[in-house]
Amino acid sequence: MAVSRLLNDLNDPQHQAVTSLSQHLLVLAGAGSGKTRVLAHRIAWLIETTQISPWSIIAVTFTNKTAREMRGRIETLLHLDTQSMWIGTFHSLSHRLLRRHWQEAGLSQQFQILDNEDQLGFLKRICKQLQLDENLWPVRQFQNFINNSKDAGLQPQDIDVQGSDQLANQVQVYQAYQTACERGALVDFGELLLRSHKLWLQRPDILQHYQNRFQHLLVDEFQDTNTIQYAWLRTLAGSSCSVTVVGDDDQSIYSWRGARIENIQQFSQDFKHGEIIRLEQNYRSTETILKAANGLIKHNNGRLGKSLWTEDQSGEPISIYAGFNEQDEARFIVEQIHRWESAGNLRSEAAILYRSNAQSRVLEEALIRSSKPYRIYGGQRFYDRLEIRNALAYMRLVNNRYDDAAIERIINIPTRGIGVRTLDVIRQNARTEGSSLWQAAQGIIISSALPARAHNALHGFLNLIEQMATATAQMQLDELTDYIIRVSGLIKHHSKEKGEKAQTRIENLNELVSAAKTFASTWSPAQLNRQLDEEADERPETALAAMLDQAALDSGEQQADESEDSVQLMTLHSAKGLEFPLVFMAGLEEGLFPHQLSLVADGRLEEERRLCYVGITRAMQKLIITYAEARRLHGQDTMNRPSRFISELPQELIEEVRLKSSVRRPLSYRPAVSNPTDRRSQRTNLMETPVLALGQSVRHAMFGEGTVIDAEGSGPRARVQVQFDSQGSKWLVLSHAKLELI
Ligand code: ATP
Ligand code: MG
């Protein structure tokens, strides 16, 4: 294939970065300047021109989704199967390594990944055992402490408690948690990194093997690497590997998870003989959007400083809409998406970004009301749903009886008469014997230590799992999944739930069978043997174990149905690296964005501003910013001022969207009020006479409380549409409805 094809669509500095012969390379550049593109082209170029094997390249992406995209790009550029290449997140690469070297890393072959939610449940039990009062010692604090310690590369024995009781307590929980994880063969996300790094340090022969193998190491989104990730990179790189990293200090948004922006400066010191290349042309956004982003980020201090420009001279102004409340904000957004579609565009080109996950519910409801399909990245995720977690817990237990977190989850789901007391006895025995819950339960059965009913219930449970394991041993993965969701009683259990929920849960469980089928069709133990026999070692023993790993690693990144044309919803954090023609940023209010917490913590306001910069720079053609004058969130009503970030944008780029017509009507029939379009005069009206505005909260004698979401007509025919909290939306004739303002 002609090398020119790899280089044709690159500007000069991009070309220079792709073909650089320096040992190390740092590409430091603003949003949308082609950093990720450079990385993909550089990999393709290295393979094509230097004749090195794809096998000797390792590339780190920020999410599993971007890893898949990176593979796709390379496959298109080179017509090459990328299976044997190590491309993935820090987590998935570490996991691959530990699968291969489980023994040397001191793990059981059946080790399972413990995701964040299971980690929390697991920690709850440990805190209970240690008799820590949850009110004084919230479990989440321990979870943060443990994860932060791991991100900083610290194990319990590395932490000096310095006479601090609080720290000593935290370390004690960390230690107890660690012991329990080891017993249950469970590895959390932080541990994947920590353990693979430790493996290299303790086994120079293994490290040497990988250092000989990997001649090129490439990292995307480098500004968000944390301490342990950086140490991992440095150790693996050694002295002869060539390292390319790309990043943007203005997009560092994960310091709360331990990311260290300083790693950018550190890189130049640690990786000598490096070249720094800056990319300044933005290919993503209109000039207006770019100017807005530049104008905002200027308010941060201590930046490395970059300038971005675009050839695109055009650009619609940035629209700002002030909703009366969050309902009105959501209604406005949906209406704009409708217009976008009517103009012949795709729904999936529109993304709604928000600061906090909880904001999505109202947006989702508005989309559902107008029958617009949507997808949430990292929100209510398939693998996070209750019924799926239950099913996976059974599957995990069939795969590995020592999985304490799985036992805790489903020992009494469906209800089978194993009460809290029985469970406490099992826990107690496990603790005194230093064994897993499974072993402890077996011991209890043998010694007949329980009353007859509890004994039978527990015995039944242990038999059920053993029987499932035997029955499914020879089954295909989808058959196995189907068998487990039925024989476990989960289908029956969830179908007893009320209303639509049951239906959805059953659908989801059945969807898991489809997921297993798809997974099995791409998985075979022999598949990777093609390239090198060695690759086979890292694969889990069975398709089941592989699928469970995938589910844990993927949790949060993939929705069930990607094919449908649907509106994209996500938090600003998960929008990193992505781009959309139409972008909404919702909820730009003080206290929400910037987030309340950032107003008191050092340096956090600047990080919020960077997050806003990330949001703005996702937009290609049009950016719409919205906020609500009143908002009900987490069950609380607040009236927040518009976000300072709005006033920090260059005002000449902004256009305020006004209501297209007055929607105020008298509450009960009166001669129609004149048509005030000016918001200020409307507000005065509201004070003086009871008038009805979009977003107004009202009470109806029969339907209860609700919010006005639309209005039409005038005089005796004036009607309003009210979204009732419990009765759905209804159109009501004002002169009859007797609505009460609340
Ligand atoms: P972010 O900082 O948001 O991660 P980035 O720097 O990684 O952005 P890319 O996603 O690689 O930027 O590129 C942004 C967009 O610009 C993509 O659609 C990409 O295809 C396009 N692009 C980049 N370079 C060029 C080029 N030389 N010619 C045409 N399009 C380009
Ligand atoms: Mg990128």
Side-chain angles (χ1 to χ4, degrees):
M1 206 214 52
V3 171
S4 61
R5 217 186 108 198
L6 300 176
L7 303 175
N8 270 351
D9 295 333
L10 299 173
N11 63 30
D12 286 347
Q14 287 177 337
H15 185 288
Q16 198 187 337
V18 167
T19 58
S20 168
L21 296 174
S22 306
Q23 188 187 1
H24 303 307
L25 173 65
L26 164 65
V27 178
L28 186 62
S33 57
K35 296 183 294 300
T36 305
R37 185 181 170 110
V38 160
L39 221 52
H41 282 248
R42 182 160 169 80
I43 294 173
W45 183 84
L46 286 168
I47 296 172
E48 192 64 22
T49 61
T50 63
Q51 303 301 319
I52 61 162
S53 157
W55 189 72
S56 59
I57 290 177
I58 179 165
V60 187
T61 59
F62 200 71
T63 62
N64 291 319
K65 180 174 154 55
T66 41
R68 283 190 281 269
E69 280 170 11
M70 180 74 76
R71 283 184 190 280
R73 284 196 202 189
I74 296 168
E75 284 174 11
T76 319
L77 286 170
L78 291 185
H79 306 295
L80 169 96
D81 182 359
T82 58
Q83 280 269 15
S84 70
M85 292 177 71
W86 282 46
I87 301 176
T89 61
F90 279 109
H91 290 141
S92 68
L93 294 170
S94 299
H95 171 250
R96 195 167 180 173
L97 190 79
L98 292 176
R99 275 275 167 237
R100 182 185 281 186
H101 299 286
W102 57 271
Q103 218 156 8
E104 295 93 331
L107 288 166
S108 134
Q109 190 172 12
Q110 280 77 32
F111 82 86
Q112 292 276 292
I113 301 171
L114 189 67
D115 68 17
N116 288 334
E117 196 189 313
D118 278 336
Q119 183 189 40
L120 192 68
F122 204 50
L123 267 170
K124 262 192 190 139
R125 177 167 74 83
I126 287 161
C127 290
K128 223 165 156 194
Q129 275 176 5
L130 295 172
Q131 299 185 330
L132 291 167
D133 180 355
E134 160 106 59
N135 294 321
L136 293 175
W137 302 97
V139 177
R140 268 190 200 282
Q141 268 182 23
F142 289 116
Q143 185 180 31
N144 288 339
F145 175 78
I146 293 172
N147 292 342
N148 291 342
S149 303
K150 290 192 177 191
D151 287 346
L154 299 172
Q155 295 181 294
Q157 64 272 20
D158 303 326
I159 302 170
D160 179 4
V161 297
Q162 293 167 338
S164 152
D165 285 351
Q166 175 166 359
L167 200 55
N169 212 356
Q170 288 175 320
V171 172
Q172 185 196 6
V173 174
Y174 185 3
Q175 182 64 64
Y177 165 79
Q178 207 52 34
T179 311
C181 281
E182 274 167 34
R183 201 174 51 225
L186 298 170
V187 177
D188 61 37
F189 286 143
E191 189 73 15
L192 288 172
L193 265 294
L194 201 59
R195 224 174 245 257
S196 47
H197 185 235
K198 212 168 108 188
L199 171 72
W200 282 332
L201 298 185
Q202 291 177 347
R203 290 293 302 262
D205 55 325
I206 296 179
L207 177 62
Q208 187 67 53
H209 168 83
Y210 287 100
Q211 287 182 337
N212 290 343
R213 169 175 173 172
F214 294 124
Q215 295 165 34
H216 288 274
L217 199 168
L218 303 98
V219 188
D220 198 5
E221 305 277 4
F222 180 69
Q223 75 282 356
D224 271 327
T225 46
N226 63 29
T227 304
I228 186 72
Q229 290 166 342
Y230 187 76
W232 193 99
L233 288 176
R234 243 192 114 183
T235 307
L236 175 60
S239 54
S240 58
C241 180
S242 157
V243 183
T244 300
V245 302
V246 307
D248 176 6
D249 57 312
D250 288 332
Q251 294 188 69
S252 164
I253 54 175
Y254 279 96
S255 75
W256 52 286
R257 270 208 216 149
R260 286 171 44 87
I261 203 168
E262 300 86 342
N263 286 344
I264 296 181
Q265 279 106 335
Q266 192 69 36
F267 181 83
S268 310
Q269 287 171 28
D270 292 342
F271 295 89
K272 304 244 158 42
H273 320 297
E275 185 179 3
I276 298 182
I277 295 181
R278 291 170 192 268
L279 311 175
E280 298 192 328
Q281 182 170 0
N282 171 295
Y283 288 90
R284 179 180 292 150
S285 312
T286 66
E287 190 180 31
T288 312
I289 293 168
L290 207 55
K291 275 186 177 164
N294 287 339
L296 176 92
I297 202 66
K298 251 193 358 229
H299 291 81
N300 271 3
N301 294 317
R303 302 170 52 221
L304 297 177
K306 287 178 263 67
S307 50
L308 268 182
W309 60 276
T310 171
E311 274 176 357
D312 187 332
Q313 300 293 310
S314 63
E316 283 183 52
I318 289 158
S319 302
I320 310 248
Y321 178 75
F324 293 99
N325 59 14
E326 76 282 359
Q327 302 283 347
D328 182 38
E329 179 189 45
R331 181 202 55 77
F332 171 79
I333 291 175
V334 172
E335 191 182 289
Q336 296 302 308
I337 293 175
H338 190 73
R339 282 194 191 183
W340 173 260
E341 281 180 73
S342 308
N345 300 302
L346 287 175
R347 219 177 271 141
S348 55
E349 291 170 342
I352 313 177
L353 314 182
Y354 39 83
R355 175 67 181 85
S356 147
N357 256 317
Q359 282 171 259
S360 79
R361 190 186 54 82
V362 176
L363 295 163
E364 287 181 63
E365 284 167 5
L367 288 162
I368 291 169
R369 272 203 299 276
S370 54
S371 308
K372 294 208 186 303
Y374 63 90
R375 271 171 39 80
I376 302 188
Y377 282 94
Q380 179 44 287
R381 309 163 291 204
F382 184 69
Y383 285 109
D384 269 357
R385 292 176 188 156
L386 177 90
E387 61 280 14
I388 299 301
R389 286 190 160 270
N390 288 344
L392 289 175
Y394 273 98
M395 291 162 76
R396 279 162 47 183
L397 214 48
V398 164
N399 181 53
N400 165 25
R401 304 295 182 282
Y402 299 143
D403 189 335
D404 285 0
I407 294 204
E408 288 272 348
R409 182 166 194 102
I410 44 88
I411 192 163
N412 203 33
I413 294 179
T415 327
R416 51 172 67 90
I418 302 180
V420 183
R421 209 168 299 161
T422 307
L423 198 52
D424 273 343
V425 175
I426 304 174
R427 288 173 184 151
Q428 184 69 38
N429 281 20
R431 198 161 69 237
T432 41
E433 290 161 18
S435 68
S436 68
L437 293 177
W438 181 266
Q439 289 166 311
Q442 280 180 323
I444 289 168
I445 293 301
I446 293 168
S447 62
S448 296
L450 292 172
R453 264 183 57 192
H455 176 95
N456 290 340
L458 184 61
H459 201 191
F461 173 70
L462 297 182
N463 281 344
L464 174 72
I465 301 294
E466 287 297 359
Q467 179 246 318
M468 277 180 166
T470 317
T472 57
Q474 303 302 326
M475 283 185 189
Q476 296 292 324
L477 190 56
D478 52 325
E479 279 179 289
L480 170 150
T481 311
D482 191 49
Y483 181 89
I484 288 181
I485 60 175
R486 272 158 233 292
V487 175
S488 62
L490 280 181
I491 290 270
K492 213 160 143 199
H493 170 72
H494 287 299
S495 62
K496 282 190 214 139
E497 288 185 59
K498 281 196 208 109
E500 277 179 28
K501 213 185 238 172
Q503 182 62 26
T504 320
R505 296 225 199 266
I506 306 304
E507 281 171 12
N508 286 336
L509 283 171
N510 288 324
E511 181 60 27
L512 187 63
V513 179
S514 324
K517 196 166 194 167
T518 316
F519 183 85
S521 69
T522 56
W523 187 86
S524 79
Q527 196 172 4
L528 279 188
N529 288 4
R530 262 175 298 151
Q531 196 75 19
L532 258 194
D533 279 340
E534 186 187 9
E535 296 287 342
D537 299 349
E538 80 205 28
R539 305 184 65 77
E541 285 282 275
T542 60
L544 172 59
M547 177 172 158
L548 293 172
D549 285 344
Q550 189 60 45
L553 284 171
D554 243 11
S555 113
E557 290 184 20
Q558 212 184 1
Q559 295 275 322
D561 184 6
E562 280 193 72
S563 56
E564 198 173 10
D565 180 28
S566 47
V567 180
Q568 313 288 304
L569 268 71
M570 69 200 78
T571 61
L572 285 147
H573 278 102
S574 32
K576 211 163 106 133
L578 307 178
E579 59 188 22
F580 305 92
L582 172 64
V583 167
F584 295 88
M585 287 190 3
L588 262 84
E589 295 141 37
E590 285 292 296
L592 184 56
F593 190 31
H595 196 276
Q596 193 64 38
L597 292 177
S598 73
L599 303 177
V600 288
D602 244 12
R604 290 292 290 275
L605 182 62
E606 296 215 337
E607 177 142 329
E608 292 286 297
R609 196 175 278 115
R610 290 195 291 269
L611 189 57
C612 189
Y613 175 82
V614 167
I616 296 174
T617 53
R618 298 310 98 199
M620 298 162 80
Q621 291 170 29
K622 174 79 187 171
L623 173 67
I624 302 181
I625 292 175
T626 61
Y627 63 93
E629 290 172 344
R631 178 178 299 275
R632 181 172 290 180
L633 189 68
H634 313 299
Q636 291 210 332
D637 292 317
T638 48
M639 304 267 283
N640 293 323
R641 280 178 296 121
S643 169
R644 71 190 68 195
F645 299 148
I646 295 181
S647 54
E648 289 173 2
L649 299 175
Q651 297 301 301
E652 68 278 10
L653 307 174
I654 289 178
E655 158 200 83
E656 269 199 66
V657 182
R658 305 252 166 195
L659 288 177
K660 58 183 185 312
S661 67
S662 164
V663 287
R664 281 162 194 285
R665 316 266 184 243
L667 241 193
S668 53
Y669 169 62
R670 288 184 201 162
V673 216
S674 61
N675 243 3
T677 43
D678 177 70
R679 295 190 68 134
R680 210 166 300 138
S681 73
Q682 287 172 7
R683 210 163 292 144
T684 322
N685 271 344
L686 189 64
M687 305 267 190
E688 291 162 1
T689 53
V691 288
L692 203 53
L694 273 194
Q696 172 70 52
S697 297
V698 291
R699 185 180 293 118
H700 183 272
M702 226 160 77
F703 305 132
E705 293 184 9
T707 310
V708 177
I709 55 171
D710 205 353
E712 64 177 33
S714 60
R717 286 189 306 277
R719 302 195 312 148
V720 287
Q721 189 185 16
V722 181
Q723 177 66 34
F724 288 102
D725 294 347
S726 54
Q727 305 280 329
S729 86
K730 301 199 185 307
W731 279 100
L732 303 168
V733 177
L734 269 180
S735 49
H736 300 305
K738 296 207 174 63
L739 291 175
E740 193 189 330
L741 280 178
I742 51 173

